[in-house]
């Protein structure tokens, strides 16, 4: 369903504001035969796990077509490109050479490389339920920064540990497919510990600009009833605070720390590592969630589906256009989210960068996407006006790609990819974003 984009000129952002686009390795690279297997390869081979039965074995074939993709970035005129480094590829002979070539190509095109070091494609055989995975991650990060650190100034450690924990380990709809519900909490702790150890490894190698990309969204109670408000608050803890409080305040939200693996002393010591100071805080925003008391049955709303047996349920956000994914389009949720983060964390909140924002729609003349992005850029500016220190905005995504359990059925790209021929065709939204970036110079 279409939303209207405003005809008013877009507001001006501060000089030096970073405009960019994001992708991730597993979703675009392909060339699966040239790397180790990841948990996503294993998961995709299980019948019925990926809706269209596809895999990411070829995806956008970015591994072979990265020059064409960097040319698309240059044509877009963006300042920066957020991509991810595949740990299974780095583990394979010659794997790091690919990122070497990519970073060189980006630098030559005048586009700042912003790598994320973990975007869900854990090497098969490793498991975030194991504490040791955190140390293994830090070792891998040291290898990557030693190789790319002379050209890469900005690093992001993890992408959306909240979704990886919830979908991959608690509900089982993403790899590795764990259905552990609250027993998945160690996965959260070990990823946070991995983040902290990675920050130390990056600093030891001289990296000066380090952050994380956390997913956040306002949690709206389904009604004013106390039971709905309490359920929404708990959901907010799991989605928003579980991964931000330890990083920014050095503690877990009340009621959660006790559920983490190990003695209280060990968790306390880990929190010191987890709370290593950051230079920037990446926020991935898509939509708010409407949450109510448990219903004793499955619940579905806003593109989220939850099983029975959880202490909350999800509900549709009425009266809003929805994307092809069924996610409600709520630009003001971004302003609310950012001002809320500012209030909650005050001067503990590093400068914010929107590391992902975007939507899935079909078609080359994607006016719906333009309307979505236009609304969110304006909402972001309102957060700036309200005093939140926001330094950048990255669209998800440069290319249509492998959208995890949805396969190739959801198209988030500014550039259309024909998955039979891998031909790239810029959409109307590509030209719209290019013009926006130009107008901001
Ligand atoms: O495609 C994903 C991305 O990998 C992580 N953030 C949300 C996007 C859209 O679902």
């Amino acid at each position: 369903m279409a939303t209207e984009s405003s005809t008013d000129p877009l507001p001006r952002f501060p000089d030096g504001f970073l405009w960019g686009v994001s992708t991730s390795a597993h979703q675009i690279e392909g060339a699966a035969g040239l790397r180790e297997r990841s948990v996503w390869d294993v998961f995709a081979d299980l019948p019925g796990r990926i809706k269209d039965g596809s895999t990411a074995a070829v995806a956008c074939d970015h591994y072979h077509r990265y020059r064409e993709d960097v040319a698309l970035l240059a044509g877009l005129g963006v300042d920066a490109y957020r991509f991810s480094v595949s740990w299974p590829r780095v583990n394979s002979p010659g794997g790091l050479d690919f990122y070497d070539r990519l970073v060189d190509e980006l630098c030559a095109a005048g586009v700042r490389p912003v790598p994320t070091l973990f975007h869900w494609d854990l090497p098969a055989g490793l498991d975030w339920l194991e504490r040791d995975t955190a140390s293994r991650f830090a070792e891998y990060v040291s290898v990557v920064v030693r190789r790319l650190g002379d050209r890469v100034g900005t690093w992001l450690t993890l992408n959306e540990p909240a979704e990886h924990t919830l979908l991959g380990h608690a509900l089982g709809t993403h790899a590795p497919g764990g259905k552990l519900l609250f027993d998945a909490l160690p996965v959260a702790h070990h990823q946070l510990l991995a983040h902290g150890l990675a920050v130390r490894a990056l600093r030891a190698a001289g990296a000066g600009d380090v952050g994380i990309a956390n997913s956040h969204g306002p949690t709206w109670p389904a009604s004013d009833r106390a039971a709905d408000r309490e359920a929404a608050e708990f959901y907010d803890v799991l989605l928003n605070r579980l991964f931000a409080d330890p990083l920014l305040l050095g503690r877990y939200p009340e009621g959660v720390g006790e559920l983490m693996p190990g003695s209280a002393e060990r968790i306390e010591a880990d929190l010191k590592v987890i709370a290593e100071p950051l230079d920037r805080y990446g926020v991935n925003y898509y939509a708010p969630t409407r949450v109510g008391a448990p219903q004793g049955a499955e619940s579905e709303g806003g593109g989220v589906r939850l099983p029975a047996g959880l202490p909350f349920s999800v509900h549709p956000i009425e009266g809003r256009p929805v994307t092809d994914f069924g996610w409600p389009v709520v630009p003001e949720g971004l302003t609310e989210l950012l001002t809320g983060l500012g209030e909650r964390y005050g001067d503990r909140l590093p400068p914010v960068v929107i590391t992902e924002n975007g939507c899935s729609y079909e078609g080359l003349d994607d006016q719906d996407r333009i309307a979505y992005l236009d609304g969110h850029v304006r909402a972001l500016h309102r957060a700036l006006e309200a005093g939140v220190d926001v330094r950048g905005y990255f669209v998800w995504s440069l290319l249509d790609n492998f959208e995890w359990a949805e396969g190739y059925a959801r198209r988030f790209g500014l550039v259309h990819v024909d998955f039979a021929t891998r031909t790239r065709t810029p959409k109307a939204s590509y030209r719209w974003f290019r013009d926006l970036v130009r107008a901001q110079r």
Side-chain angles (χ1 to χ4, degrees), residues 23-24 27 82 119-120 159-160 163 174 215 284 286 325 327 356 358 396-397 401-404 412:
T23 63
S24 91
Q27 292 177 272
R82 174 178 172 240
H119 196 124
W120 302 353
N159 178 73
E160 298 183 2
E163 266 63 29
H174 275 195
S215 51
N284 294 1
Y286 289 90
F325 222 141
W327 299 354
E356 281 183 30
W396 182 270
S397 180
N401 57 48
F402 177 75
E403 177 55 31
W404 307 113
F412 279 86

Side-chain angles (χ1 to χ4, degrees), residues 338-351:
L338 293 174
T339 51
L341 286 174
E343 276 157 27
R344 185 177 282 157
Y345 298 109
D347 57 13
R348 310 292 285 271
L349 182 68

Side-chain angles (χ1 to χ4, degrees), residues 40-238:
W40 268 97
D41 299 306
V42 176
F43 185 75
D45 282 349
L46 300 172
R49 300 306 174 98
I50 310 295
K51 281 196 185 139
D52 59 6
S54 63
T55 73
V58 182
C60 306
D61 198 24
H62 168 77
Y63 181 90
H64 295 109
R65 295 169 190 251
Y66 70 95
R67 286 201 178 86
E68 189 182 343
D69 294 336
V70 173
L72 285 165
L73 291 166
L76 204 47
V78 285
D79 304 299
Y81 172 50
R82 174 178 172 240
F83 59 98
S84 79
V85 176
S86 152
W87 186 353
R89 195 173 299 288
V90 170
N91 282 353
S92 311
L96 250 178
D97 297 347
F98 169 67
Y99 299 104
D100 228 8
R101 293 195 291 275
L102 174 63
V103 166
D104 279 348
E105 192 77 10
L106 288 166
C107 293
V111 178
R112 186 200 292 197
V114 179
T116 305
L117 290 152
F118 176 69
H119 196 124
W120 302 353
D121 48 351
L122 191 72
L126 291 185
D127 187 344
W128 283 116
L129 281 166
E130 303 293 332
R131 182 181 172 89
D132 184 50
T133 303
S135 316
R136 303 280 295 272
F137 180 65
E139 287 160 19
Y140 142 77
V141 168
S142 301
V143 171
V144 177
V145 66
R146 268 204 303 274
R147 182 75 173 270
L148 306 180
D150 56 339
R151 286 150 293 152
V152 170
T154 304
W155 297 89
L156 298 167
T157 55
L158 310 179
N159 178 73
E160 298 183 2
E163 266 63 29
H164 192 56
T165 307
L166 179 73
L167 303 178
H169 296 81
L171 302 180
T173 51
H174 275 195
K179 293 188 178 169
L180 299 171
L181 298 180
F182 286 95
D183 290 339
L185 280 172
V187 169
H189 185 70
H190 296 150
Q191 284 181 92
L192 284 164
L193 180 60
H195 157 85
L197 293 172
V199 174
R200 289 189 172 174
L202 290 163
R203 300 270 187 236
D209 184 352
V210 180
I212 187 169
N214 258 346
S215 51
H216 285 292
T219 302
W220 293 347
S223 80
D224 258 355
R225 286 174 41 222
D228 286 337
R229 284 208 315 271
E230 268 165 38
E233 228 164 85
F234 188 51
Y235 191 87
D236 182 54
V237 165
L238 292 181

